[in-house]
Amino acid sequence: ELTQPPSVSVSPGQTARITCSGDELPKKYAYWYQHKPGQAPVAVMLKDSERPSGIPERFSGSSSGTTATLTISGVQAEDEADYYCQTADVSGTYVFGPGTKVTV
Amino acid sequence: EVQVEESGGGVVQPGGSLKLSCAASGFTFSDSALHWVRQASGKGLEWVGRIRSKTYNSATEYAESVKGRFTISRDDSMRMAYLHMSGLKTEDTAVYFCSGMIGDAFDVWGRGTRVTVSS
């Protein structure tokens, strides 16, 4: 099971940090997805800290112990969305966090 | 362009069945795992299940909430994946997304198809 804060509010140009906690995270990678209403989700961070091609440099990720963190530096209005962390369970299944609504 | 597109959603009565389809293009479909993820209204993303590639015998895994009721299949020749849903419950009402796992992540997603289970 993964836990995330329900919401994060940030002013344009500031830094948003979204945490994801789970007992599996010391052993498993965390992935992050951005989801805007009515659109397809988009992967914004892979394997804790790898930014996929096409994702702006203001997105970064890290992980330490049982907590993974997605950081958005210099937040822009277009970053307003729901963000979900995800990991693989030891049983071969997958789990998403409950999501964090980022309001700019 | 790398993309997947879901179809087949609709309204079905409790206890009924429905088959969703996922059409893929722009990536090596036969080498990729295909997942189904759902989102109930006002709720977060919930992983439903996965089918692996033929290399891994097209093995499937499912979330406990759908195990025994949902089945995922694939047709590599048609670049299609399917979610067969039976014994539907009102709590299965959601938008269902197909996602292709090209690497280790849910790399490509569709916009989803809506399933409503209601009498």
Coordinates of all heavy atoms in Angstrom, one line a residue, chain B residues 42-93:
Chain B
G42 N -14.3 10.2 -9.1 CA -13.8 10.9 -7.9 C -12.8 10.1 -7.1 O -12.4 10.5 -6.0
K43 N -12.4 9.0 -7.7 CA -11.4 8.1 -7.0 C -10.1 8.1 -7.8 O -9.9 8.7 -8.8 CB -11.9 6.7 -6.9 CG -13.2 6.6 -6.1 CD -13.1 7.0 -4.7 CE -14.4 6.8 -4.0 NZ -14.4 7.1 -2.5
G44 N -9.1 7.4 -7.2 CA -7.8 7.3 -7.9 C -7.7 6.1 -8.8 O -8.6 5.4 -9.1
L45 N -6.5 5.9 -9.4 CA -6.2 4.9 -10.3 C -6.1 3.5 -9.5 O -5.5 3.5 -8.5 CB -4.9 5.1 -11.1 CG -4.9 6.4 -11.9 CD1 -3.5 6.5 -12.5 CD2 -5.9 6.4 -13.0
E46 N -6.7 2.5 -10.1 CA -6.7 1.2 -9.5 C -6.2 0.2 -10.5 O -6.9 0.0 -11.6 CB -8.1 0.7 -9.0 CG -8.0 -0.7 -8.4 CD -9.4 -1.2 -8.0 OE1 -10.4 -0.6 -8.4 OE2 -9.5 -2.2 -7.3
W47 N -5.1 -0.5 -10.3 CA -4.6 -1.5 -11.2 C -5.6 -2.7 -11.2 O -6.0 -3.2 -10.2 CB -3.2 -2.0 -10.8 CG -2.6 -3.0 -11.6 CD1 -2.0 -2.8 -12.8 CD2 -2.5 -4.4 -11.3 NE1 -1.6 -4.0 -13.3 CE2 -1.8 -5.0 -12.4 CE3 -2.9 -5.2 -10.3 CZ2 -1.6 -6.4 -12.5 CZ3 -2.7 -6.6 -10.3 CH2 -2.0 -7.1 -11.4
V48 N -5.9 -3.1 -12.4 CA -6.9 -4.2 -12.6 C -6.2 -5.6 -12.9 O -6.5 -6.6 -12.3 CB -7.9 -3.9 -13.7 CG1 -8.8 -5.1 -14.0 CG2 -8.8 -2.7 -13.3
G49 N -5.3 -5.5 -13.9 CA -4.6 -6.7 -14.2 C -3.6 -6.5 -15.4 O -3.6 -5.5 -16.0
R50 N -2.9 -7.6 -15.7 CA -1.8 -7.5 -16.7 C -1.8 -8.8 -17.5 O -2.0 -9.9 -17.0 CB -0.5 -7.3 -16.1 CG 0.7 -7.5 -17.0 CD 2.0 -7.4 -16.3 NE 2.3 -8.6 -15.5 CZ 3.5 -8.9 -14.9 NH1 4.4 -7.9 -15.0 NH2 3.7 -10.0 -14.2
I51 N -1.4 -8.7 -18.8 CA -1.0 -9.9 -19.6 C 0.4 -9.6 -20.1 O 0.7 -8.6 -20.6 CB -2.0 -10.2 -20.7 CG1 -1.6 -11.5 -21.4 CG2 -2.1 -9.0 -21.7 CD1 -2.8 -12.1 -22.3
R52 N 1.2 -10.6 -19.9 CA 2.6 -10.5 -20.3 C 2.7 -10.9 -21.8 O 1.8 -11.3 -22.4 CB 3.5 -11.3 -19.4 CG 3.4 -10.9 -18.0 CD 4.5 -11.6 -17.1 NE 5.8 -11.1 -17.3 CZ 6.9 -11.4 -16.6 NH1 6.7 -12.4 -15.6 NH2 8.1 -10.9 -16.8
S53 N 3.9 -10.7 -22.3 CA 4.1 -11.1 -23.7 C 4.2 -12.6 -23.9 O 4.3 -13.3 -22.9 CB 5.4 -10.4 -24.3 OG 6.5 -11.0 -23.6
K54 N 4.2 -13.0 -25.2 CA 4.3 -14.4 -25.5 C 5.6 -15.0 -24.9 O 5.6 -16.2 -24.6 CB 4.1 -14.7 -27.0 CG 4.0 -16.1 -27.4 CD 3.8 -16.3 -28.9 CE 2.4 -16.0 -29.3 NZ 2.1 -16.3 -30.7
T55 N 6.6 -14.2 -24.9 CA 7.9 -14.7 -24.3 C 7.7 -15.2 -22.9 O 8.4 -16.2 -22.5 CB 8.9 -13.5 -24.3 OG1 9.1 -13.1 -25.6 CG2 10.2 -14.0 -23.7
Y56 N 6.8 -14.7 -22.2 CA 6.5 -15.1 -20.8 C 5.1 -15.9 -20.8 O 4.4 -15.8 -19.8 CB 6.4 -13.9 -19.9 CG 7.8 -13.2 -19.8 CD1 8.0 -12.1 -20.6 CD2 8.8 -13.6 -18.9 CE1 9.3 -11.4 -20.6 CE2 10.0 -13.0 -18.9 CZ 10.2 -11.9 -19.7 OH 11.5 -11.3 -19.6
N57 N 4.9 -16.5 -21.9 CA 3.7 -17.4 -22.0 C 2.4 -16.7 -21.8 O 1.4 -17.2 -21.4 CB 3.8 -18.5 -21.0 CG 4.9 -19.5 -21.2 OD1 5.2 -19.8 -22.4 ND2 5.7 -19.8 -20.2
S58 N 2.4 -15.4 -22.1 CA 1.2 -14.5 -22.0 C 0.5 -14.7 -20.6 O -0.7 -14.7 -20.4 CB 0.1 -14.9 -23.1 OG 0.7 -14.7 -24.4
A59 N 1.4 -14.8 -19.6 CA 0.9 -14.9 -18.2 C 0.1 -13.7 -17.8 O 0.4 -12.6 -18.2 CB 2.1 -15.1 -17.3
T60 N -0.9 -14.0 -17.0 CA -1.8 -13.0 -16.5 C -1.7 -12.9 -14.9 O -1.5 -13.9 -14.3 CB -3.2 -13.2 -16.9 OG1 -3.6 -14.5 -16.5 CG2 -3.4 -13.1 -18.4
E61 N -1.9 -11.7 -14.4 CA -2.1 -11.5 -13.0 C -3.3 -10.5 -12.9 O -3.5 -9.6 -13.7 CB -0.9 -10.8 -12.4 CG 0.3 -11.8 -12.2 CD 1.2 -11.9 -13.5 OE1 1.2 -10.9 -14.3 OE2 1.8 -12.9 -13.7
Y62 N -4.0 -10.6 -11.7 CA -5.1 -9.8 -11.5 C -5.2 -9.2 -10.1 O -4.6 -9.8 -9.2 CB -6.4 -10.6 -11.7 CG -6.5 -11.1 -13.1 CD1 -6.1 -12.4 -13.4 CD2 -7.0 -10.4 -14.2 CE1 -6.2 -12.9 -14.7 CE2 -7.1 -10.9 -15.5 CZ -6.7 -12.1 -15.7 OH -6.7 -12.6 -17.0
A63 N -5.8 -8.1 -9.9 CA -6.1 -7.5 -8.6 C -7.1 -8.5 -7.9 O -7.9 -9.1 -8.6 CB -6.6 -6.1 -8.7
E64 N -7.0 -8.5 -6.6 CA -7.9 -9.4 -5.8 C -9.4 -9.0 -6.1 O -10.2 -9.9 -6.1 CB -7.6 -9.3 -4.3 CG -6.3 -10.0 -3.9 CD -6.5 -11.5 -4.1 OE1 -7.6 -12.1 -3.9 OE2 -5.4 -12.2 -4.5
S65 N -9.6 -7.7 -6.3 CA -11.0 -7.3 -6.4 C -11.7 -7.8 -7.7 O -12.9 -7.8 -7.8 CB -11.0 -5.7 -6.5 OG -10.2 -5.2 -7.5
V66 N -10.9 -8.3 -8.7 CA -11.5 -8.8 -9.9 C -11.2 -10.2 -10.2 O -11.7 -10.8 -11.2 CB -11.1 -7.9 -11.1 CG1 -11.4 -6.4 -10.8 CG2 -9.6 -8.1 -11.5
K67 N -10.3 -10.8 -9.4 CA -9.8 -12.2 -9.7 C -11.0 -13.1 -9.8 O -11.9 -13.1 -8.9 CB -8.9 -12.6 -8.6 CG -8.0 -13.8 -9.0 CD -6.9 -14.1 -7.9 CE -5.9 -13.0 -7.9 NZ -4.8 -13.3 -6.9
G68 N -11.0 -14.0 -10.8 CA -12.1 -14.9 -11.0 C -13.3 -14.4 -11.7 O -14.2 -15.1 -12.2
R69 N -13.3 -13.1 -12.0 CA -14.4 -12.4 -12.7 C -13.9 -11.8 -14.0 O -14.7 -11.8 -15.0 CB -15.1 -11.4 -11.9 CG -15.7 -11.9 -10.6 CD -16.6 -10.8 -9.9 NE -15.7 -9.6 -9.5 CZ -16.0 -8.4 -9.9 NH1 -17.0 -8.2 -10.7 NH2 -15.2 -7.4 -9.5
F70 N -12.7 -11.3 -14.0 CA -12.2 -10.6 -15.2 C -11.1 -11.5 -15.8 O -10.3 -12.2 -15.1 CB -11.6 -9.3 -14.8 CG -12.6 -8.2 -14.4 CD1 -13.9 -8.5 -14.2 CD2 -12.1 -6.9 -14.3 CE1 -14.8 -7.5 -13.8 CE2 -13.0 -5.9 -14.0 CZ -14.4 -6.2 -13.7
T71 N -11.0 -11.5 -17.1 CA -9.9 -12.2 -17.8 C -9.3 -11.3 -18.9 O -10.1 -10.6 -19.7 CB -10.5 -13.4 -18.5 OG1 -11.1 -14.3 -17.5 CG2 -9.4 -14.2 -19.2
I72 N -8.0 -11.2 -19.0 CA -7.3 -10.4 -20.0 C -6.8 -11.4 -21.1 O -6.2 -12.4 -20.7 CB -6.2 -9.6 -19.4 CG1 -6.7 -8.6 -18.3 CG2 -5.4 -8.8 -20.5 CD1 -5.6 -7.9 -17.6
S73 N -6.9 -11.0 -22.3 CA -6.4 -11.8 -23.4 C -5.7 -10.9 -24.4 O -5.9 -9.6 -24.3 CB -7.4 -12.6 -24.1 OG -8.4 -11.8 -24.7
R74 N -5.0 -11.4 -25.4 CA -4.3 -10.6 -26.4 C -4.3 -11.3 -27.7 O -4.3 -12.6 -27.7 CB -2.9 -10.2 -25.9 CG -1.9 -11.4 -25.8 CD -0.6 -10.9 -25.1 NE 0.1 -9.9 -26.0 CZ 1.0 -9.1 -25.5 NH1 1.3 -9.1 -24.2 NH2 1.6 -8.2 -26.3
D75 N -4.2 -10.6 -28.8 CA -4.1 -11.1 -30.1 C -3.0 -10.3 -30.8 O -3.2 -9.2 -31.2 CB -5.4 -10.9 -30.9 CG -5.3 -11.5 -32.3 OD1 -4.2 -11.7 -32.8 OD2 -6.4 -11.8 -32.9
D76 N -1.8 -10.8 -30.7 CA -0.6 -10.1 -31.3 C -0.7 -9.8 -32.8 O -0.2 -8.8 -33.2 CB 0.7 -10.8 -30.9 CG 1.0 -10.8 -29.5 OD1 0.4 -10.0 -28.7 OD2 1.9 -11.6 -29.1
S77 N -1.4 -10.7 -33.5 CA -1.5 -10.5 -34.9 C -2.4 -9.3 -35.2 O -2.2 -8.6 -36.3 CB -2.1 -11.7 -35.6 OG -3.4 -11.9 -35.2
M78 N -3.3 -9.0 -34.4 CA -4.2 -7.8 -34.6 C -3.8 -6.6 -33.7 O -4.3 -5.5 -33.8 CB -5.6 -8.2 -34.2 CG -6.2 -9.3 -35.0 SD -6.5 -8.7 -36.7 CE -7.8 -7.5 -36.4
R79 N -2.7 -6.8 -32.9 CA -2.2 -5.7 -32.0 C -3.4 -5.3 -31.1 O -3.6 -4.1 -30.9 CB -1.7 -4.6 -32.8 CG -0.5 -4.9 -33.7 CD -0.1 -3.7 -34.6 NE 0.5 -2.7 -33.7 CZ 1.7 -2.6 -33.2 NH1 2.6 -3.6 -33.5 NH2 2.1 -1.7 -32.5
M80 N -4.1 -6.3 -30.5 CA -5.2 -6.0 -29.7 C -5.1 -6.7 -28.3 O -4.5 -7.8 -28.3 CB -6.5 -6.5 -30.3 CG -6.9 -5.8 -31.6 SD -7.5 -4.1 -31.4 CE -9.0 -4.4 -30.5
A81 N -5.6 -6.1 -27.3 CA -5.8 -6.7 -26.0 C -7.2 -6.5 -25.6 O -7.9 -5.6 -26.1 CB -4.8 -6.0 -25.0
Y82 N -7.6 -7.4 -24.7 CA -9.1 -7.5 -24.4 C -9.2 -7.6 -22.8 O -8.4 -8.3 -22.2 CB -9.8 -8.6 -25.1 CG -9.6 -8.6 -26.6 CD1 -8.7 -9.4 -27.2 CD2 -10.5 -7.7 -27.3 CE1 -8.6 -9.3 -28.6 CE2 -10.3 -7.7 -28.7 CZ -9.4 -8.5 -29.3 OH -9.2 -8.4 -30.7
L83 N -10.3 -7.1 -22.3 CA -10.6 -7.3 -20.9 C -12.0 -7.9 -20.9 O -13.0 -7.1 -21.3 CB -10.6 -6.0 -20.1 CG -10.9 -6.1 -18.6 CD1 -10.0 -7.0 -17.9 CD2 -11.0 -4.7 -18.0
H84 N -12.1 -9.1 -20.6 CA -13.4 -9.8 -20.5 C -13.9 -9.7 -19.1 O -13.3 -10.2 -18.2 CB -13.3 -11.3 -20.9 CG -12.6 -11.5 -22.2 ND1 -13.3 -11.8 -23.4 CD2 -11.3 -11.5 -22.6 CE1 -12.4 -12.0 -24.4 NE2 -11.2 -11.8 -23.9
M85 N -15.0 -9.0 -18.9 CA -15.6 -8.8 -17.5 C -16.9 -9.6 -17.4 O -17.8 -9.4 -18.2 CB -15.8 -7.3 -17.3 CG -14.5 -6.5 -17.5 SD -14.8 -4.7 -17.1 CE -15.9 -4.3 -18.4
S86 N -17.0 -10.3 -16.3 CA -18.3 -11.0 -16.0 C -18.6 -10.9 -14.6 O -17.7 -10.4 -13.8 CB -18.1 -12.5 -16.4 OG -17.1 -13.1 -15.6
G87 N -19.8 -11.2 -14.2 CA -20.2 -11.1 -12.8 C -20.1 -9.7 -12.3 O -19.7 -9.4 -11.2
L88 N -20.4 -8.7 -13.2 CA -20.1 -7.3 -12.9 C -21.0 -6.8 -11.7 O -22.1 -7.2 -11.5 CB -20.4 -6.4 -14.1 CG -19.3 -6.5 -15.2 CD1 -19.8 -6.0 -16.5 CD2 -18.1 -5.7 -14.7
K89 N -20.3 -6.0 -10.9 CA -20.9 -5.4 -9.7 C -21.0 -3.9 -9.9 O -20.2 -3.3 -10.7 CB -20.0 -5.7 -8.5 CG -19.8 -7.2 -8.3 CD -18.8 -7.4 -7.2 CE -18.5 -8.9 -7.0 NZ -17.5 -9.1 -5.8
T90 N -21.8 -3.2 -9.1 CA -21.9 -1.8 -9.2 C -20.6 -1.1 -8.9 O -20.3 -0.1 -9.5 CB -23.0 -1.3 -8.3 OG1 -22.7 -1.7 -6.9 CG2 -24.4 -1.7 -8.7
E91 N -19.8 -1.7 -8.1 CA -18.5 -1.2 -7.7 C -17.5 -1.3 -8.8 O -16.3 -0.8 -8.7 CB -17.9 -1.7 -6.4 CG -17.9 -3.3 -6.4 CD -19.1 -3.9 -5.7 OE1 -20.2 -3.4 -5.9 OE2 -18.8 -4.8 -4.9
D92 N -17.8 -2.0 -9.9 CA -16.9 -2.0 -11.1 C -17.1 -0.8 -12.0 O -16.4 -0.7 -13.0 CB -17.2 -3.3 -11.9 CG -16.8 -4.6 -11.1 OD1 -15.8 -4.6 -10.4 OD2 -17.6 -5.6 -11.2
T93 N -18.1 0.0 -11.7 CA -18.4 1.2 -12.5 C -17.1 2.1 -12.4 O -16.7 2.5 -11.4 CB -19.6 2.0 -12.0 OG1 -20.8 1.2 -12.2 CG2 -19.7 3.3 -12.7

